[in-house]
Amino acid sequence: MDDYKDDHKDEYNDESSRHKKPGHDNSKNEQLNKYREKNTGPGEKLTSDAGLKISNDRWSLRAGRRGPTLFQDFHFYKKQSHFNRERIPEKVVHARGDGAYGEFELYKSMRHVTRAHFLQEPGCKTPVFVRFSNFIGSKGSKDTAIDIRGFATKFYTQEGNYDMLALSFAVFSVMDAMKFADFVHAVKPNPRTAVPQATVAHDNAWDYVANNQEIAHFIMWLMSGRGRPRSWRMMEAWPVNTFRFINEHGKSTFVRFVWKPMLGVHSLLLDEANIIGGVDPDYHRRDLHEAIMCGAYPEYELGVQLIQEEDQFKYDFDILDDTKLWPEEVIPVEIIGKMTLNRLVDNHFAEEEQVSFDPATVVPGIDFTNDPVLQGRSFAYRDTDYHRLGTGNINNIPVNQPIVETNLNQRQSDVRHRIDVDSVHYHKNSLAGNTPKETPPEKGGYAHYPEKVDGHKTRERPGESFFDFFSQPRMFWNSMTPVEKQQIVETFNFHLGYVKSKSVRQQVVDMFGNVDTHMATAIAESIGVNPPKESHVPVTKSSPALSQANTAYYPYTQKVAVLIGNGFNGKEVKNVLDYLHHCGVFIDIISENLGTVKGDDGMQIEVNTIFTSTYSVLYDSLYVVGGKTKNEAKFRSDIKSFVKEAYKHYKPIGVATTAASYFNNTNKNNLAGVVFAENNPNFKDEFVSAIAQQRFWNRK
């Protein structure tokens, strides 16, 4: 890793390189330049926010050397009172997150279905900002909690901003926005104790699940590997809602979107996620920062699923039901473009914390459907940010500003930076020639699709298939490999093991007996309740796209821990490390002490991590080199601990010729995924292939 950093030191040290990306659309970045301020440097003087130069920023003004502080110390008052207001209300959900800038490039024109400008011409590039987040926990929780993730994208288009709010599951937890507050209340910490944090491993959450069974499909995703992604860079995302594309002729096409990561979809094990949450709660943030700083930019392809207006009732699910996915084998995903994240924020609060996403922020050519969840979301997001950000001027905040000209009649509110010099601020008017003028739809103005609506006011469900809670969860189960099924059972057991109410545990088992009888029976056995009385629904369909066994696998950006001491085979190790770098593998050199280790040929390697400050679970694979150190017994013990844990987690392990003594093939193991360099001229290739495979489920 250090060698790689040396090769790319300009990206680390040259501040301008954070903002200049040749060949990219820099329009948003250039807009932000006028807001960037540098407070430090030669000759810079400390001032107040009003420009007053400060002579003493260390001691308050007192009446006598040992006397009380004076009320007239305005500098202390201003400094402290501003500090008292540095925190704004955190998000009720999706509080913990991080973000990055980038661009979206269109592969193919979608002109035939939408008039949206950024989807017209192949090669069109649109600046974007993306925020990743966890749903349940507070800002101070952990990245690797078993949870659904947010993946919100703001497109800075030539027609104004377009916000695409996606989740890491293809389905949602409720069928109607009316129930969202209840769901959030149930999964949040107990209101009496404020415990537990960032998990559904408690009675309230599972009592809600058992008594609101439309959530069954969502829970299957949560209990699977999808609930604990290896990285935000390896996470699929769906907006879950059904939208409309509207073309220039006014024709409507139903659409759902999906982001597909170029590195494939990969997950942590339950055990890894729990341990990492303690030893490195910023694991996903750190991973995103490291990748972008090294130039290994996260990439995602955008796919669309399209249904013609006249075909909306031909499926065995309702296309407006967000607890149901559109199976890719039934409604194919058409890949239309790629997003690349290539720049980190300059200031986490100013940009990531103050960014606002709203599903009602759309552009001409994209419109709503009568999806009951979308209808509620189109109101809720902007309203909550009016409260959280404390102003009606949300889009005046730099990260939220569109890159196109804005002319509007809204005025005042908190934190108003615009200085509107017009004396007229209403529509219609004669004093300003009735400007700013409306724009007709044919010239780019937004117009809603004129859908015909009739019927009586009602609180009925939109269709009969909204009552089918278990067919798609059963399909999800049918789509899993035996390993994935076992992991789902184990994750159920982990969460339900914390539920004190036996009645709730029994209700959950009875509920998921409708998904799979054997699964529910195995869960019942572990949590001390009776097997389900009912059999699962008679659904045999599966969707191979749902299994992570069918995703892409690459060595690129997989993280390898190199466990090394002095006296290693210099030629052999250099050859391997050079090849790992060539393949884009991330490397940490780990030893007893920081400094350097020296090989048998005098080669020196910089140690950037010590055993005391890192853990095996933070790496995708190990390269065990061994060697000599001052404290030989501790060094060998540390290596054995790393190896034992990595082996238990099915990870690949490369073994240098100097480390063969750490491994013994016995009848208790088969060393699957352990690659030895000794007498192996193909070691490099075999080790990199093992790194790409990631897990060896046949290991014993």
Side-chain angles (χ1 to χ4, degrees):
M1 182 66 189
D2 283 342
D3 293 341
Y4 192 90
K5 285 183 180 179
D6 289 342
D7 292 340
H8 296 75
K9 60 185 178 182
D10 287 345
E11 295 178 22
Y12 282 81
N13 301 324
D14 180 6
E15 188 173 352
S16 65
S17 70
R18 291 167 56 83
H19 308 304
K20 295 178 181 178
K21 300 294 178 185
H24 296 300
D25 186 320
N26 280 319
S27 51
K28 182 61 183 179
N29 191 28
E30 290 165 0
Q31 182 195 55
L32 291 175
N33 275 335
K34 61 186 175 184
Y35 298 103
R36 293 188 174 109
E37 297 286 348
K38 189 173 177 63
N39 299 288
T40 58
E44 296 292 353
K45 306 296 184 183
L46 181 67
T47 72
S48 71
D49 57 2
L52 179 71
K53 291 180 180 177
I54 306 301
S55 64
N56 192 316
D57 191 46
R58 293 158 285 117
W59 291 96
S60 54
L61 188 67
R62 296 183 306 284
R65 188 173 184 180
R66 299 176 63 83
T69 299
L70 296 177
F71 186 71
Q72 72 184 62
D73 189 353
F74 60 84
H75 176 56
F76 168 75
Y77 166 74
K78 290 180 179 180
K79 182 178 181 180
Q80 183 63 40
S81 60
H82 186 282
F83 174 78
N84 294 346
R85 292 161 175 79
E86 281 186 358
R87 298 296 178 267
I88 63 176
E90 72 173 37
K91 294 174 181 282
V92 177
V93 291
H94 297 290
R96 181 174 181 82
D98 206 352
Y101 292 95
E103 66 178 8
F104 172 75
E105 182 174 1
L106 187 67
Y107 288 164
K108 56 191 296 187
S109 174
M110 298 304 292
R111 188 190 307 274
H112 59 294
V113 288
T114 179
R115 55 183 288 202
H117 178 272
F118 76 106
L119 298 178
Q120 299 299 295
E121 298 296 332
C124 175
K125 294 181 179 180
T126 303
V128 298
F129 181 82
V130 173
R131 182 177 188 265
F132 303 97
S133 60
N134 285 18
F135 179 81
I136 301 174
S138 68
K139 282 174 62 177
S141 59
K142 58 187 180 182
D143 284 352
T144 58
I146 286 73
D147 197 358
I148 190 172
R149 266 84 184 164
F151 184 130
T153 305
K154 186 180 293 293
F155 295 81
Y156 302 100
T157 86
Q158 295 301 315
E159 297 178 297
N161 291 349
Y162 167 51
D163 291 351
M164 181 186 287
L165 289 82
L167 297 172
S168 58
F169 300 172
V171 296
F172 201 44
S173 55
V174 297
M175 292 177 167
D176 191 288
M178 180 71 83
K179 299 184 71 173
F180 183 66
D182 297 308
F183 167 63
V184 174
H185 285 167
V187 300
K188 284 289 188 175
N190 185 292
R192 292 181 61 199
T193 63
V195 174
Q197 175 63 242
T199 180
V200 293
H202 58 97
D203 288 50
N204 282 4
W206 289 96
D207 181 53
Y208 178 90
V209 169
N211 289 279
N212 296 269
Q213 297 190 0
E214 69 200 59
I215 201 174
H217 196 183
F218 178 91
I219 293 298
M220 292 299 293
W221 283 71
L222 183 64
M223 296 296 101
S224 75
R226 303 277 186 165
R228 44 180 193 273
R230 157 61 180 86
S231 164
W232 291 330
R233 300 178 293 114
M234 304 169 191
M235 185 176 78
E236 254 178 315
W238 296 260
V240 303
N241 298 127
T242 301
F243 289 87
R244 292 180 188 274
F245 271 158
I246 311 295
N247 68 12
E248 60 183 347
H249 305 296
K251 186 179 187 305
S252 164
T253 305
F254 293 107
V255 60
R256 281 195 180 183
F257 302 95
V258 59
W259 289 109
K260 290 187 172 289
M262 300 293 284
L263 292 177
V265 184
H266 304 287
S267 297
L268 299 168
L269 300 181
L270 174 65
D271 189 47
E272 290 176 306
N274 287 332
I275 296 172
I276 292 171
V279 302
D280 186 7
D282 302 304
Y283 181 73
H284 285 148
R285 298 183 187 207
R286 203 182 307 278
D287 174 85
L288 177 71
H289 296 178
E290 182 177 69
I292 292 178
M293 290 173 72
C294 287
Y297 301 138
E299 296 178 319
Y300 310 83
E301 288 187 316
L302 180 62
V304 295
Q305 292 175 286
L306 304 174
I307 294 178
Q308 298 302 315
E309 187 95 12
E310 59 272 18
D311 293 336
Q312 64 174 302
F313 298 113
K314 68 181 286 188
Y315 305 100
D316 59 0
F317 54 87
D318 197 307
I319 69 168
L320 300 183
D321 181 355
D322 293 336
T323 67
K324 311 291 195 303
L325 58 81
W326 294 5
E328 293 187 18
E329 295 77 13
V330 178
I331 305 158
V333 172
E334 183 180 357
I335 300 298
I336 65 170
K338 183 176 75 172
M339 178 169 68
T340 303
L341 302 182
N342 53 36
R343 183 169 62 83
L344 296 171
V345 301
D346 290 295
N347 183 282
H348 183 85
F349 177 83
E351 295 167 280
E352 193 280 336
E353 185 64 26
Q354 290 196 118
V355 70
S356 175
F357 294 95
D358 174 13
T361 298
V362 293
V363 291
I366 300 175
D367 202 349
F368 309 121
T369 65
N370 296 328
D371 174 334
V373 174
L374 177 58
Q375 291 287 314
R377 292 180 84 200
S378 65
F379 156 77
Y381 280 73
R382 177 50 63 100
D383 186 66
T384 194
D385 273 355
Y386 281 149
H387 164 69
R388 192 178 69 86
L389 296 172
T391 177
N393 296 314
I394 290 173
N395 283 342
N396 281 6
I397 298 171
V399 69
N400 298 321
Q401 285 188 13
I403 60 173
V404 294
E405 179 182 350
T406 58
N407 300 298
L408 55 157
N409 289 322
Q410 284 91 340
R411 293 292 188 271
Q412 301 176 9
S413 188
D414 293 312
V415 200
R416 183 74 170 189
H417 293 293
R418 282 176 66 121
I419 302 176
D420 298 290
V421 297
D422 313 275
S423 60
V424 173
H425 57 313
Y426 50 87
H427 187 86
K428 299 171 58 174
N429 66 72
S430 63
L431 294 176
N434 199 28
T435 58
K437 290 183 178 293
E438 297 169 330
T439 302
E442 60 272 17
K443 293 189 176 181
Y446 190 89
H448 291 274
Y449 178 68
E451 179 186 11
K452 182 180 179 182
V453 178
D454 56 24
H456 301 284
K457 293 179 181 178
T458 180
R459 294 189 187 272
E460 295 175 287
R461 300 188 190 201
E464 288 305 308
S465 65
F466 274 73
F467 290 92
D468 179 4
F469 301 153
F470 300 112
S471 292
Q472 284 210 347
R474 174 67 181 168
M475 180 185 71
F476 185 88
W477 175 259
N478 292 342
S479 307
M480 299 293 103
T481 65
V483 169
E484 290 172 313
K485 289 180 178 179
Q486 181 58 34
Q487 290 178 354
I488 289 172
V489 171
E490 290 172 357
T491 311
F492 266 110
N493 292 344
F494 171 81
H495 287 85
L496 291 170
Y498 283 91
V499 174
K500 304 302 180 186
S501 169
K502 186 173 182 179
S503 170
V504 169
R505 298 199 304 270
Q506 186 66 63
Q507 290 175 66
V508 172
V509 164
D510 291 341
M511 170 183 171
F512 282 92
N514 293 288
V515 176
D516 186 78
T517 309
H518 299 299
M519 176 189 75
T521 301
I523 296 168
E525 220 172 273
S526 292
I527 64 173
V529 298
N530 297 322
K533 295 178 181 178
E534 303 296 327
S535 296
H536 49 248
V537 294
V539 172
T540 58
K541 292 179 181 178
S542 67
S543 173
L546 299 179
S547 171
Q548 291 181 223
N550 300 320
T551 194
Y553 287 82
Y554 302 103
Y556 185 61
T557 75
Q558 290 287 296
K559 195 166 188 178
V560 176
V562 180
L563 313 182
I564 193 168
N566 293 306
F568 58 88
N569 183 322
K571 182 179 180 182
E572 174 190 317
V573 171
K574 182 181 187 305
N575 199 19
V576 172
L577 294 184
D578 286 348
Y579 192 61
L580 293 179
H581 281 140
H582 171 74
C583 295
V585 174
F586 289 176
I587 294 170
D588 267 3
I589 307 296
I590 304 172
S591 194
E592 185 181 24
N593 300 308
L594 293 176
T596 59
V597 288
K598 185 179 292 187
D600 58 6
D601 58 354
M603 174 189 177
Q604 294 189 16
I605 298 178
E606 182 95 20
V607 176
N608 66 327
T609 308
I610 57 176
F611 284 108
T612 308
S613 62
T614 193
Y615 299 83
S616 176
V617 290
L618 302 178
Y619 300 95
D620 300 301
S621 61
L622 306 182
Y623 177 36
V624 185
V625 179
K628 304 290 184 182
T629 64
K630 289 182 180 179
N631 191 338
E632 190 70 24
K634 184 178 184 304
F635 181 65
R636 289 187 65 85
S637 175
D638 286 335
I639 289 181
K640 287 179 179 178
S641 294
F642 262 65
V643 168
K644 181 179 179 181
E645 191 158 47
Y647 192 84
K648 180 180 72 171
H649 292 149
Y650 310 98
K651 294 177 179 177
I653 302 172
V655 185
T657 55
T658 49
S661 62
Y662 287 95
F663 297 85
N664 296 307
N665 198 339
T666 71
N667 59 2
K668 293 183 178 180
N669 66 47
N670 60 4
L671 298 186
V674 179
V675 185
F676 292 89
E678 198 165 36
N679 301 318
N680 183 1
N682 299 317
F683 172 73
K684 289 188 308 182
D685 292 320
E686 290 180 10
F687 184 36
V688 167
S689 294
I691 292 170
Q693 185 172 327
Q694 300 185 24
R695 308 279 186 182
F696 290 82
W697 303 117
N698 63 330
R699 176 178 289 172
K700 69 173 184 178

